[in-house]
C-alpha cells in the first residue's frame, strides 16, 4: 500500500508512535510518505520505502498567523496525487485530521484515498474539548473513514466527550522489544550512581499534565530511606521550576536533568524504577519503554495507565497526587530485591506479550485493508 503519515515531527508520544509505525510498515514492504513541517526526529537513518515530504510555510505580512493546516492540506493533496496514496493516516486530530479531510475534498473523484485518524490523548482530553476546537475535532472524527484510539480509556473518553456514536478501534501503542531491552550495567550507571545508589527515572515533555514536581517530591521521600539518585529526561515549560524545587528541597546534588536524549534503551537500562505521576495519560508510552527494559513503574491511576501497568505485578498505581503512597511503593520495590526481580521480569513479559511491534502493527494493516 502507499500510505501517507501526517504527524508532529518533534519530541512527544504521538510523533514517536507515528514514526515507529511508518518504519515498521516500510519494513513490511509498504511505501510510506511522511508529510510534516520537519523531518521526524526518529527518522534518523536511511530506510528503504520511506519518504519525507516537507510542508512549506509561505511567509507574507498579511498572514499574521501561520496557516499551517491549509499548507498541510495542499501538501497532502499533492503527495496523494503524485504518489497515488491509498491511505492518509493522521496522528493527533488537531489539525492533522482536518487537513487530511480537506485534502480528500480537494481531490474529489480523482482519488479513492481513505483517511484514518489516530487519537493520542491531549487532542481529546485537553485541547480537543476547548470550545475553539471542539466542533472541528468532532467533525474530523465523524468524517474520517476510520478512527483509532491508543487505549480503551481514550476511545470511551472520545465517545463521551464528543458525543459521537461511531466505532472507534482501540489499537494500543507498541514497542520494539529487541531494541528496548535491559543492557548489562552501563557506563552511565557508574557515573550517575558511583556508590551503587538506586536510580529513579522519569521521561516527559515537562508539561503541567506530567506533574514532574510530584516526581521530585516522591524522590525526596524515597531518598530519606534509600540511597538513591533521580534522573529526569526531557525538556519543557516546567523544567526551570523543577530545578528550583530540587534546590529548595536540598536534594539538587542527587537530581540530574539530562534534557532531551535519544539513547533511551541505554539510559532506561540503568534505572531501578520509573515514576509517572501524571494528571492525565491516555496510554503512557514512556512507561511501556521502561517496562520493556525491565523497569517497574510507579504511576497514578489516571486515564489509560491501568491498561499498561498491572498493579502489584509490573508496578504500582496510586491516586493522583498521593505522593506518600507512591513514595511508599517505591521504597517497597527498591528495598526488596526478590520483589524487584519479579516485577522487573513481569514488566518485560507484559511488554512482550501485549505490546510488541509485531503484534500491533498488523492491526493497523488490517484496518487499512478493510477500508480499501
Ligand atoms: O504526553 C504528551 O503530552 C505528548 C502526547 C503526544 O501526543 O505527543 O502524548 C500522548 O500520546 C502518547 C502516544 O500515544 C501517549 O502515550 C500519551 O499518554 C499521551 N499523553 C497524554 O495523554 C497526556
Amino acid at each position: 500500500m502507499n500510505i501517507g503519515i501526517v504527524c508532529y515531527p518533534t519530541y512527544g508520544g504521538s510523533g514517536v508512535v507515528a514514526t515507529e509505525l511508518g518504519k515498521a510498515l516500510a519494513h513490511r514492504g509498504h511505501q510510506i510518505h511522511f508529510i510534516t513541517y520537519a523531518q521526524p526526529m526518529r527518522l534518523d537513518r536511511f530506510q528503504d520505502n520511506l519518504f519525507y515530504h516537507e510542508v512549506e510555510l509561505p511567509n507574507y505580512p498579511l498572514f499574521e498567523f501561520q496557516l499551517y493546516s491549509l499548507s498541510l492540506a495542499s501538501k497532502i493533496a499533492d503527495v496523494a496525487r503524485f504518489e497515488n496514496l491509498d491511505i492518509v493516516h493522521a496522528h493527533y486530530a488537531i489539525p492533522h485530521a482536518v487537513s487530511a479531510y480537506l485534502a480528500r475534498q480537494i481531490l474529489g473523484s480523482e482519488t479513492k484515498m481513505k483517511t484514518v485518524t489516530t487519537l493520542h490523548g491531549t487532542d481529546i482530553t485537553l485541547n480537543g474539548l476547548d470550545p475553539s476546537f471542539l466542533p472541528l475535532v468532532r467533525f474530523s472524527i465523524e468524517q474520517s473513514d476510520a478512527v483509532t484510539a491508543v487505549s480503551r480509556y481514550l476511545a470511551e473518553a472520545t465517545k463521551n466527550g464528543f458525543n459521537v456514536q461511531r466505532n472507534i478501534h482501540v489499537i494500543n501503542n507498541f514497542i520494539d522489544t529487541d531494541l528496548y531491552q535491559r543492557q548489562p550495567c552501563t557506563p552511565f550507571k557508574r557515573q550517575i550512581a558511583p556508590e551503587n545508589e538506586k536510580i529513579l527515572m522519569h521521561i516527559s515533555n515537562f508539561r503541567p499534565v506530567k506533574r514532574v514536581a510530584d516526581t521530585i517530591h516522591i524522590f525526596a521521600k524515597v531518598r530519606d530511606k534509600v540511597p538513591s539518585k533521580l534522573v529526569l529526561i526531557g525538556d519543557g515549560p516546567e523544567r526551570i521550576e523543577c530545578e528550583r524545587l530540587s534546590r529548595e528541597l536540598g536534594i539538587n546534588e542527587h537530581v540530574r536533568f539530562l534534557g532531551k536524549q535519544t539513547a533511551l534503551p541505554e539510559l532506561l537500562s540503568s534505572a531501578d524504577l520509573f515514576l509517572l505521576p501524571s494528571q492525565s495519560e491516555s496510554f503512557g508510552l514512556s512507561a511501556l519503554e521502561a517496562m520493556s527494559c525491565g523497569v517497574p513503574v510507579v504511576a497514578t491511576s489516571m486515564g489509560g495507565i491501568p491498561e499498561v501497568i498491572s498493579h502489584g505485578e509490573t508496578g504500582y498505581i496510586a491516586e493522583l497526587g498521593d505522593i506518600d503512597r507512591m513514595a511508599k511503593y517505591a521504597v517497597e520495590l527498591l528495598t526488596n530485591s526478590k520483589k524487584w526481580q519479579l516485577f522487573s521480569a513481569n514488566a518485560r513479559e507484559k511488554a512482550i506479550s501485549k505490546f510488541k511491534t509485531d503484534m500491533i502493527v498488523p492491526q493497523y494493516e488490517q484496518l487499512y485493508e478493510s477500508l480499501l
Side-chain angles (χ1 to χ4, degrees):
M1 281 177 268
N2 294 333
I3 302 161
I5 292 186
V6 183
C7 64
Y8 285 109
T10 47
Y11 286 83
S14 64
V16 169
V17 171
T19 313
E20 295 300 340
L21 174 63
K23 283 156 70 173
L25 289 166
H27 190 69
R28 296 166 79 90
H30 304 288
Q31 300 261 307
I32 304 300
H33 297 269
F34 285 95
I35 309 168
T36 178
Y37 62 84
Q39 173 120 351
M41 221 200 62
R42 294 237 182 147
L43 213 62
D44 51 359
R45 63 194 64 173
F46 173 78
Q47 189 186 328
D48 207 8
N49 292 334
L50 278 185
F51 306 89
Y52 162 56
H53 307 266
E54 188 161 313
V55 180
E56 304 98 51
L57 289 167
N59 194 0
Y60 185 67
L62 185 63
F63 304 150
E64 201 178 329
F65 303 102
Q66 289 282 7
L67 301 176
Y68 179 65
S69 329
L70 302 182
S71 303
L72 176 62
S74 298
K75 193 71 183 183
I76 298 172
D78 241 26
V79 176
R81 184 180 285 130
F82 294 114
E83 304 293 348
N84 206 11
L85 293 187
D86 301 300
I87 299 282
V88 62
H89 189 162
H91 287 262
Y92 207 89
I94 310 166
H96 303 146
V98 184
S99 302
Y101 167 81
L102 213 53
R104 202 187 42 194
Q105 294 304 106
I106 292 168
L107 294 173
S109 58
E110 230 186 285
T111 185
K112 289 202 167 66
M113 176 178 81
K114 302 292 181 192
T115 59
V116 177
T117 299
T118 289
L119 307 171
H120 279 275
T122 46
D123 46 353
I124 294 300
T125 54
L126 205 68
N127 302 314
L129 291 172
D130 186 296
S132 58
F133 286 132
L134 193 140
L136 204 63
V137 174
R138 181 189 286 130
F139 177 79
S140 59
I141 290 170
E142 278 164 353
Q143 294 299 321
S144 298
D145 292 305
V147 177
T148 81
V150 298
S151 61
R152 284 197 305 277
Y153 154 78
L154 188 60
E156 281 312 306
T158 307
K159 285 184 184 167
N160 297 335
F162 291 83
N163 195 19
V164 286
Q165 309 301 326
R166 68 164 305 157
N167 184 24
I168 297 178
H169 304 264
V170 175
I171 303 185
N172 289 140
N173 286 334
F174 54 90
I175 186 85
D176 178 346
T177 51
D178 293 331
L179 181 64
Y180 281 80
Q181 61 173 310
R182 205 166 183 86
Q183 303 165 9
C185 184
T186 63
F188 172 76
K189 182 166 174 93
R190 283 191 288 275
Q191 276 167 15
I192 291 283
E195 309 286 334
N196 213 18
E197 296 94 335
K198 299 292 182 191
I199 296 184
L200 289 83
M201 199 170 274
H202 170 84
I203 305 176
S204 79
N205 50 26
F206 285 62
R207 292 195 199 133
V209 79
K210 300 291 176 181
R211 309 257 298 208
V212 188
D214 284 9
T215 297
I216 294 172
H217 283 295
I218 294 166
F219 173 68
K221 288 185 181 290
V222 172
R223 233 204 100 74
D224 282 344
K225 305 237 163 64
V226 184
S228 48
K229 302 281 180 184
L230 175 64
V231 174
L232 295 161
I233 298 171
D235 208 343
E238 302 275 284
R239 176 169 167 178
I240 305 275
E241 185 52 29
C242 289
E243 285 177 355
R244 195 196 54 74
L245 177 64
S246 56
R247 280 195 299 272
E248 195 180 291
L249 295 173
I251 51 171
N252 51 313
E253 69 178 283
H254 305 293
V255 181
R256 288 289 289 270
F257 290 82
L258 298 190
K260 292 173 181 172
Q261 296 286 329
T262 47
L264 295 182
E266 188 196 342
L267 294 168
L268 283 165
S269 293
S270 67
D272 296 292
L273 196 71
F274 191 83
L275 296 173
L276 193 66
S278 302
Q279 179 181 331
S280 163
E281 204 70 68
S282 68
F283 184 89
L285 184 63
S286 58
L288 177 58
E289 289 172 342
M291 286 164 59
S292 188
C293 292
V295 186
V297 183
V298 172
T300 52
S301 56
M302 304 308 285
I305 291 178
E307 295 174 50
V308 182
I309 300 165
S310 310
H311 180 73
E313 286 172 24
T314 67
Y316 286 115
I317 287 170
E319 294 281 300
L320 173 66
D322 196 342
I323 288 163
D324 287 340
R325 185 163 290 270
M326 285 186 267
K328 186 178 147 284
Y329 285 145
V331 170
E332 192 177 315
L333 275 170
L334 295 173
T335 53
N336 182 339
S337 73
K338 227 170 157 184
K339 192 175 246 185
W340 186 89
Q341 292 288 351
L342 179 66
F343 276 49
S344 165
N346 288 345
R348 169 86 184 150
E349 170 52 28
K350 183 158 185 191
I352 291 174
S353 63
K354 289 257 190 297
F355 304 112
K356 199 175 158 71
T357 304
D358 299 349
M359 289 172 58
I360 306 291
V361 172
Q363 297 177 27
Y364 281 112
E365 268 178 319
Q366 280 157 23
L367 180 67
Y368 300 155
E369 275 158 15
S370 73
L371 296 176
L372 297 172

